[in-house]
Amino acid sequence: MQKIEQFLDSKDIRVTAMRLLIYKFLAEKQVAVTLSDIENAFEKADRTTLYRTIKTFEEKAIVHKVDDGTGITKYALCEQGCNCEIETDLHLHFHCNNCNETVCLTEHKIPQIKVPDGFVSENVNLVVKGICDKCSGQ
Amino acid sequence: MQKIEQFLDSKDIRVTAMRLLIYKFLAEKQVAVTLSDIENAFEKADRTTLYRTIKTFEEKAIVHKVDDGTGITKYALCEQGCNCEIETDLHLHFHCNNCNETVCLTEHKIPQIKVPDGFVSENVNLVVKGICDKCSGQ
DNA sequence: TCAATAAATGCACTTCCATTGCATTGGTTT
DNA sequence: AAACCAATGCAATGGAAGTGCATTTATTGA
Ligand SMILES: [Mn+2]
Ligand SMILES: [Mn+2]
Ligand SMILES: [Zn+2]
Ligand SMILES: [Zn+2]
């Protein structure tokens, strides 16, 4: 388990008990989570700490925001070598209308989107909604 | 101006003074607007009425929601024969990071997006962020 | 080692948008 | 006109995001 400590350290994130717990929580989850999800997982922790921890993770680029259109921001761990910032590296997200979970489809990069003359594309958010594999697999 | 009355009527929306005003406001605007935008345009009107008017318009499919990632829902009039619901008819939206305005790119349909086996795509939201024509045109 | 310093945490409070309940007003129908 | 239903207005609520400040915890370096 020393690995996580080392990883955080390599990213200039001081290791604390709470940060380790939150990191592990994110790593175990296969879906993007809300602040409330984390809050519920750690009853004792203060919401502000979670909020700021996630913010730190985001600033240090080990998690990325997921805006799936539910109105509630979700977060997911970045993949190895993920460059959330670089437009060409953007993957799409899938939101299940049934179980309400959102997953990163990291293998599915967002295609080049043409915009009209005069417009400059800097960033793209693409969310597909429908039924996920777990829910469709009846 | 009888046209708008007739149009609303054809959509099973009772014509009221407020609804006419809001409809005209939306029609004049070339960008997606927030509830607050409308609120500011009609100081006298109650926020709830605006809220419910827009909701009615949405239910009757003459406006569609625009989720541009700012966290604030915006609305825009549907084009002639716009079928917001039908996936193949979905257009993309452009949000300017400079002027903060969001426009419908109704000519630009969203390309077919491949999803992994087991996933069923029902709906797609695609938002391009960058610099709009007005702002880039220096 | 221990004091000085900086970072992380916890609590309280605030803001902003979305949404609802209920009373009132206004328009339609018979 | 009476009865009915829809639209409006006011007040209150709820949820999520964000901030200020005091306190605790970790780091540094004298
Ligand atoms: Mn992702
Ligand atoms: Mn649109
Ligand atoms: Zn599902
Ligand atoms: Zn602009």
Side-chain angles (χ1 to χ4, degrees), chain A residues 118 120 122-123 129 131 136, chain B residues 118 120 122-123 125 129 131 136:
Chain A
V120 181
E122 293 178 342
N123 199 289
K129 299 176 196 214
I131 309 297
S136 75
Chain B
V120 182
E122 293 178 343
N123 200 290
N125 185 37
K129 297 175 197 216
I131 310 298
S136 76

Side-chain angles (χ1 to χ4, degrees), chain A residues 119, chain B residues 94-102 130-136:
Chain A
F119 288 79
Chain B
F94 187 95
H95 177 253
C96 178
N97 291 324
N98 185 243
C99 66
N100 212 35
E101 289 192 336
T102 299
I131 310 298
C132 76
D133 54 347
K134 284 184 221 154
C135 292
S136 76

Side-chain angles (χ1 to χ4, degrees), chain B residues 108-120:
Chain B
H108 294 63
K109 302 303 180 190
I110 296 178
Q112 187 67 26
I113 304 293
K114 276 195 192 125
V115 290
D117 281 353
F119 288 79
V120 182

Side-chain angles (χ1 to χ4, degrees), chain B:
Chain B
M1 287 298 170
Q2 297 289 79
K3 273 188 182 176
I4 301 179
E5 273 96 330
Q6 284 174 18
F7 175 68
L8 292 182
D9 198 60
S10 75
K11 293 285 184 174
D12 266 315
I13 302 172
R14 279 164 203 259
V15 177
T16 70
M18 205 61 232
R19 287 174 176 177
L20 277 175
L21 286 172
I22 295 176
Y23 184 90
K24 286 178 190 168
F25 178 75
L26 290 170
E28 284 169 10
K29 286 277 174 184
Q30 294 302 314
V31 298
V33 300
T34 67
L35 222 46
S36 294
D37 290 337
I38 308 178
E39 205 180 350
N40 294 333
F42 305 101
E43 304 273 339
K44 312 158 201 166
D46 184 79
R47 198 190 152 70
T48 314
T49 304
L50 305 179
Y51 172 74
R52 289 200 259 238
T53 298
I54 285 289
K55 206 175 175 188
T56 300
F57 283 3
E58 202 192 340
E59 281 161 7
K60 302 296 186 178
I62 69 170
V63 305
H64 61 273
K65 267 205 182 90
V66 181
D67 173 13
D68 63 6
T70 55
I72 304 165
T73 306
K74 296 181 178 175
Y75 302 89
L77 276 191
C78 293
E79 297 280 304
Q80 287 280 21
C82 157
N83 282 328
C84 314
E85 270 72 47
I86 317 293
E87 177 172 2
T88 54
D89 196 49
L90 291 171
H91 58 269
L92 61 94
H93 294 125
F94 187 95
H95 177 253
C96 178
N97 291 324
N98 185 243
C99 66
N100 212 35
E101 289 192 336
T102 299
V103 293
C104 296
L105 298 182
T106 48
E107 303 301 301
H108 294 63
K109 302 303 180 190
I110 296 178
Q112 187 67 26
I113 304 293
K114 276 195 192 125
V115 290
D117 281 353
F119 288 79
V120 182
S121 165
E122 293 178 343
N123 200 290
V124 179
N125 185 37
L126 198 164
V127 181
V128 179
K129 297 175 197 216
I131 310 298
C132 76
D133 54 347
K134 284 184 221 154
C135 292
S136 76
Q138 253 306 353

